[in-house]
Amino acid sequence: MPSPLQLLNPINIIKEIWRVCYILVQYIIIAIFKAPPPKSPREPRSPYGRIAVIGAGLTGISSAAHCISHNFEVVIFEAAPRSGLGGIWSHVNSTSGLQLNSHLYRFHPAVLWRHAFPLKPEIVSEITRIWKEYHLDSRTRFETPVTSVKRIESDSGSHKWQINDGAEEAFDAVIVTIGTCGKPKWIHLDGMPKGVGKDNEESEDSDENEQTDVFTEPIIHSSDLDSDAVSEETIKDKKVVVIGSGASGVEAVETAIGRGAGEVVMIARTDKWIIPRNIFFDTFLACQPFGREMPLSFLWEAFLKQWHYFGVKDLAPAHAGLFEGTPVVNNDFLKHVRNGKCKYVRGDPVRLSSSGVVTNVRNRDTKPGSDGTKKTIDAEVVVLATGFERPQLDFLPDSLFPEDYQRPDLYLQNFSTEDWSVLLTNSSYMSGIGHIGIYTRILLTLLLDENARPLPKDMRLWVDLVRFLKRGAAGGPLGFFTYMELMIWVGMFHLFRLDRLKWWFFFILFGWGVHEKERRGKKSKQEGGIPMVKIPKEKKH
């Protein structure tokens, strides 16, 4: 319990006032934008349609909540058991947190964050609360991997989607929310003992019997660093070497230090931009109109080097611009390097040896694979911060993704160009994140209004146009985008088809209107300014 002196500290008083205001703003957002949840698990009684949601992570739960609050029935398919609710957030370390300020990461209007940059426990807690509040628990099929999605044609020309050969009633649309992070990715390095990284084919094929210089101490994937499988004695007072410099690597360094590691070394093949956890800076950065380097982008980079990288400016990337990839959001990592808790080594891991990691150490102005000096970095524990495998979409028909129109080159970057009723929210991009509510409500609009639906040729044309406008962008034209760019896309979606404007402001942007029929009673079919389209029992697609 804080002492009276601490409570009267002006800085603590300001922090407490800020925290109260932060939460108060969220209550206002909830009051204005939160769509009502069903009153009971039996609602909606007369849904406008049925939607299959594949994946019970953050995006899947939010998408399903949006659907059911606007009078669409949903079924969520999740391959993992109940403990997997929350997707990747249920598997990462407890030190993992949002890479954006939580006001910019409101994955559903009902979210109520307690911290500006919440960590895993709070994130999973909010996902679970919304899952229960919107009665999605009874609609979630855990331990049910989706193996097939088939299009069923009817004599009238409409179609539906069949999941797992008809295990459930057919669906009018499919939302794929498997994300971009699947199983932990293990790399293979010579000197690894047999059985480590066994999911990697290369390690299966190597002849372990010929190795004479093998690292026999613990080798851990960063996602397991604070799990029950790794005891306190494994990390405490040990020299920990982290291979990888992305968000997983930065968080692994924090976790190792938090668990009492004696010394931590990060081996970084490439330098990553690290930006502060600051709502003002992050908001201005997100307002960049295009996800690529612009003539004045160097000003952001110069500001970061002077303010955030003071004392360790040589860690700033020499060959990559700030908008050429997703930056790492973190306040503490650079502090750990400055105060000596973490040693930063720029180089390429060559192999493991009995004493540590043999590394090709390079200078700042070099690129991965360039000539350097071969050194052995002593280690008692090696942590592979090598990220996660990209989930496959092999359960979807190949016809949905013709050549040159595969992820991330999709309509609005999330819709199949061949069928608007298949949405891949946050499962198609390379670096970025989409607005879950807006994308879901665009899909609902297309289900409700036949006149608003795009043709395959128009969706392919949109992709072609964006690729032309962003030609030369690092990582590809649709490989990286900012929030401002997303809003430009949404504006284009409406302005090029004026018949969609009636849905734009009220419903698609803000989620007002289109609720359950029984709740409207004798009200006008136009609710909240949204023309309600009558949906017959046999919905035409």
Side-chain angles (χ1 to χ4, degrees):
M1 185 175 179
S3 66
L5 189 61
Q6 288 176 313
L7 291 175
L8 294 176
N9 187 311
I11 295 178
N12 290 337
I13 292 175
I14 293 173
K15 287 182 178 179
E16 188 62 23
I17 292 174
W18 174 264
R19 190 183 72 84
V20 171
C21 292
Y22 195 86
I23 295 175
L24 179 60
V25 168
Q26 294 184 79
Y27 274 115
I28 295 172
I29 293 173
I30 291 170
I32 296 174
F33 297 109
K34 177 184 174 181
K39 294 179 180 178
S40 74
R42 294 184 299 277
E43 295 183 358
R45 300 179 187 275
S46 302
Y48 294 131
R50 284 172 52 83
I51 298 175
V53 177
I54 302 175
L58 178 150
T59 304
I61 299 306
S62 177
S63 299
H66 281 292
C67 291
I68 202 166
S69 63
H70 294 298
N71 199 46
F72 282 82
E73 185 56 87
V74 294
V75 176
I76 303 172
F77 298 89
E78 171 55 51
R82 167 65 179 81
S83 59
L85 180 67
I88 189 62
W89 286 111
S90 67
H91 302 299
V92 296
N93 295 318
S94 59
T95 57
S96 297
L98 292 185
Q99 292 290 295
L100 289 172
N101 183 279
S102 57
H103 268 331
L104 302 177
Y105 200 88
R106 295 188 57 78
F107 65 89
H108 189 275
V111 168
L112 182 61
W113 298 117
R114 297 185 300 276
H115 300 91
F117 288 89
L119 300 181
K120 167 191 171 177
E122 183 176 349
I123 297 168
V124 174
S125 174
E126 282 300 285
I127 295 171
T128 304
R129 183 178 64 80
I130 290 173
W131 179 65
K132 292 179 178 179
E133 182 178 2
Y134 283 81
H135 299 291
L136 299 174
D137 43 357
S138 61
R139 293 173 165 87
T140 305
R141 311 290 186 258
F142 289 112
E143 300 184 73
T144 307
V146 172
T147 56
S148 69
V149 176
K150 296 179 180 178
R151 177 170 165 151
I152 307 171
E153 306 287 349
S154 69
D155 295 336
S156 63
S158 63
H159 71 273
K160 290 181 181 290
W161 296 98
Q162 187 182 75
I163 306 294
N164 290 350
D165 297 320
E168 299 272 349
E169 184 182 341
F171 297 92
D172 300 287
V174 178
I175 305 179
V176 180
T177 60
I178 58 174
T180 56
C181 298
K183 297 187 300 182
K185 181 190 293 184
W186 288 81
I187 62 170
H188 174 73
L189 294 171
D190 289 340
M192 282 184 173
K194 187 176 181 179
V196 175
K198 59 185 177 182
D199 292 333
N200 186 291
E201 293 181 2
E202 191 175 352
S203 69
E204 291 276 343
D205 296 337
S206 62
D207 187 353
E208 301 290 347
N209 295 324
E210 295 182 1
Q211 297 195 74
T212 57
D213 191 13
V214 177
F215 185 78
T216 58
E217 300 298 331
I219 301 175
I220 305 167
H221 190 272
S222 59
S223 61
D224 293 325
L225 193 54
D226 69 348
S227 69
D228 294 337
V230 179
S231 66
E232 182 179 351
E233 291 73 22
T234 303
I235 305 297
K236 190 173 179 59
D237 298 325
K238 301 294 177 62
K239 183 170 184 178
V240 178
V241 174
V242 176
I243 299 177
S245 57
S248 298
V250 168
E251 290 170 354
V253 168
E254 287 187 292
T255 302
I257 292 174
R259 297 197 69 176
E263 183 180 354
V264 180
V265 178
M266 171 183 279
I267 300 177
R269 293 189 72 248
T270 58
D271 300 320
K272 302 290 194 303
W273 280 105
I274 300 174
I275 64 176
R277 287 183 165 129
N278 182 287
I279 186 171
F280 301 108
F281 184 86
D282 296 348
T283 301
F284 284 124
L285 207 62
C287 289
Q288 164 104 349
F290 296 104
R292 62 178 301 173
E293 284 292 289
M294 301 292 283
L296 297 179
S297 294
F298 75 93
L299 294 176
W300 291 105
E301 296 161 11
F303 177 75
L304 279 174
K305 290 177 185 178
Q306 186 65 33
W307 173 46
H308 196 51
Y309 278 84
F310 68 91
V312 288
K313 290 183 181 180
D314 61 324
L315 268 62
H319 302 287
L322 182 58
F323 293 95
E324 292 183 20
T326 303
V328 178
V329 184
N330 191 276
N331 281 347
D332 297 324
F333 176 74
L334 296 178
K335 294 178 183 177
H336 292 322
V337 177
R338 274 193 293 267
N339 62 27
K341 290 185 178 180
C342 174
K343 182 180 179 182
Y344 187 92
V345 176
R346 184 181 294 104
D348 312 298
V350 177
R351 60 162 290 132
L352 301 188
S353 69
S354 57
S355 58
V357 184
V358 180
T359 304
N360 176 44
V361 180
R362 299 179 281 103
N363 295 323
R364 179 174 182 267
D365 59 349
T366 60
K367 295 183 179 181
S370 301
D371 292 337
T373 303
K374 190 172 289 187
K375 296 181 180 179
T376 297
I377 300 174
D378 294 338
E380 294 175 281
V381 178
V382 170
V383 177
L384 299 179
T386 46
F388 300 85
E389 295 179 7
R390 191 171 172 81
Q392 298 300 310
L393 295 171
D394 50 7
F395 52 83
L396 291 174
D398 292 338
S399 59
L400 290 174
F401 310 106
E403 187 177 0
D404 294 331
Y405 299 97
Q406 302 166 330
R407 58 177 181 172
D409 297 323
L410 303 181
Y411 178 58
L412 297 180
Q413 210 191 18
N414 285 273
F415 287 89
S416 164
T417 59
E418 309 308 300
D419 196 314
W420 55 264
S421 65
V422 178
L423 170 62
L424 290 82
T425 308
N426 294 339
S427 299
S428 59
Y429 64 82
M430 302 299 290
S431 299
I433 188 165
H435 192 294
I436 302 168
I438 287 178
Y439 278 121
T440 302
R441 291 190 292 271
I442 288 176
L443 175 65
L444 301 187
T445 296
L446 301 180
L447 285 168
L448 289 167
D449 189 349
E450 183 177 4
N451 296 324
R453 298 168 189 169
L455 297 173
K457 65 181 182 66
D458 295 330
M459 293 188 282
R460 291 193 291 269
L461 177 61
W462 183 90
V463 174
D464 295 338
L465 176 62
V466 173
R467 286 194 292 213
F468 174 77
L469 293 174
K470 293 186 64 178
R471 61 192 182 280
L478 288 162
F480 177 78
F481 61 97
T482 63
Y483 194 85
M484 179 60 72
E485 183 178 349
L486 166 63
M487 299 312 296
I488 292 174
W489 294 354
V490 173
M492 291 168 56
F493 170 79
H494 293 91
L495 294 178
F496 287 130
R497 286 281 299 274
L498 297 180
D499 52 339
R500 295 172 180 159
L501 284 176
K502 61 187 177 184
W503 298 94
W504 179 30
F505 186 81
F506 288 100
F507 183 57
I508 291 180
L509 285 188
F510 300 120
W512 296 333
V514 191
H515 297 310
E516 192 170 359
K517 297 175 182 177
E518 286 82 354
R519 297 183 193 176
R520 296 200 306 273
K522 296 182 180 180
K523 291 182 181 179
S524 166
K525 288 186 178 181
Q526 186 168 346
E527 178 177 340
I530 300 301
M532 301 296 296
V533 178
K534 183 178 181 182
I535 305 296
K537 291 184 178 179
E538 287 295 327
K539 291 167 279 297
K540 185 177 180 181
H541 293 274

